[in-house]
Amino acid sequence: MNPGLPSLPSLLAAEVQTSIVEYLTTTFALSDPAAQAALRGFLSDPETGIFRGPYLKIRTPYQPVGDGWVSPLEWMPHEFKPFRHQAEAFARLSTNGMAARPTIVTTGTGSGKTESFLVPLLDHCRRASARGERGIKAIILYPMNALVTDQARRLAQYLHGDKRLTGVTAGVYIGGTGKRRYPTPRRWSTTATHCATTRPTSCSPITACWTSCCCARPMRSSGRGPPPRCSTSSSTSSTHTTAPRAPMLRC
């Protein structure tokens, strides 16, 4: 990239296209000049080539709620002011004196879609915990392990950074073959129950503790009793059970 040129999207796109074409033509290294020209023309053709665009995306800032907005939830993160689409999701998903309604949130990247459902969900679990209700209250499904890891980190920050959520715990299942045989659906259920009722208190880091100490250990081969509880050491295990990819919350 030429540092003397302004960083205009059209110039940057042209430089990227030129670099890709140079890389591909060099990789194939055709010795015949006519074949080289044909390959370059094939790659760079504006109609049938490999490039499309560039496209200009104009995105206006997401609008926050007004000063007079009243939350339908009893719990929200400290100093959290939601966007309007998040506030609409809160109103539909809140179980504070009402039943939650089916909701689909479709917004752009970085718009806070996770908070749109996670904040009402944690509010629901906190309220259930205050009533003395136990057991799994929600299952969150993700299509990729990378998303589970990212979301588990955010969830851990909420649960261990806010004393108001002391009674709420979470566990993580990540699919994988590991070194042990696949557990049966009955063992999934038993392991999930144990993970939901065993809260690690002395493992570090938090997410590694949840994954390897609490939820990654399968049932004992004898089939008697729950898996071992979380130990006080910070070591982690590389063995994972194969189970649905879902962080699990209990109260």
Side-chain angles (χ1 to χ4, degrees):
M1 184 181 300
N2 190 341
L5 295 177
S7 299
L8 299 177
S10 58
L11 298 178
L12 294 176
E15 288 191 21
V16 171
Q17 292 181 9
T18 300
S19 299
I20 294 176
V21 170
E22 290 293 339
Y23 170 76
L24 293 176
T25 54
T26 303
T27 300
F28 287 102
L30 301 176
S31 58
D32 182 57
Q36 290 181 0
L39 176 60
R40 185 178 296 272
F42 169 75
L43 296 173
S44 305
D45 189 278
E47 299 295 333
T48 61
I50 63 174
F51 301 108
R52 297 292 183 272
Y55 301 105
L56 179 61
K57 181 177 181 180
I58 301 177
R59 185 176 65 183
T60 58
Y62 297 104
Q63 295 298 318
V65 295
D67 294 334
W69 177 75
V70 178
S71 173
L73 309 176
E74 294 181 334
W75 174 88
M76 285 204 315
H78 293 294
E79 300 181 357
F80 177 77
K81 187 174 183 179
F83 295 123
R84 290 182 181 177
H85 63 271
Q86 292 176 323
E88 294 177 3
F90 293 170
R92 294 183 58 89
L93 297 175
S94 174
T95 59
N96 184 17
M98 65 188 75
R101 291 173 287 173
T103 303
I104 298 178
V105 180
T106 57
T107 58
T109 302
S111 61
K113 290 186 292 294
T114 297
E115 283 73 16
S116 296
F117 72 86
L118 187 58
V119 172
L121 192 153
L122 291 175
D123 174 68
H124 170 77
C125 289
R126 174 182 174 273
R127 193 160 40 252
S129 176
R131 293 193 298 262
E133 298 180 9
R134 301 180 61 83
I136 297 173
K137 295 297 181 290
I139 298 177
I140 308 174
L141 302 178
Y142 292 99
M144 299 173 60
N145 286 347
L147 291 177
V148 174
T149 303
D150 175 73
Q151 298 293 294
R153 186 180 300 109
R154 187 180 307 185
L155 184 58
Q157 292 173 350
Y158 282 137
L159 295 183
H160 290 262
D162 194 326
K163 294 182 179 179
R164 296 173 295 171
L165 298 177
T166 300
V168 181
T169 59
V172 178
Y173 275 126
I174 297 180
T177 57
K179 298 181 180 179
R180 309 204 179 186
R181 66 181 183 180
Y182 294 176
T184 63
R186 182 183 65 81
R187 290 191 175 187
W188 284 351
S189 176
T190 307
T191 305
T193 302
H194 179 73
C195 289
T197 57
T198 303
R199 180 171 188 178
T201 58
S202 56
C203 290
S204 178
I206 294 170
T207 53
C209 176
W210 287 351
T211 302
S212 58
C213 290
C214 185
C215 290
R217 295 185 180 182
M219 291 288 291
R220 293 170 179 163
S221 58
S222 63
R224 297 189 300 271
R229 289 177 177 268
C230 217
S231 64
T232 57
S233 66
S234 60
S235 61
T236 59
S237 170
S238 60
T239 303
H240 298 270
T241 61
T242 299
R245 301 169 180 174
M248 308 184 73
L249 304 182
R250 59 81 55 181
C251 303

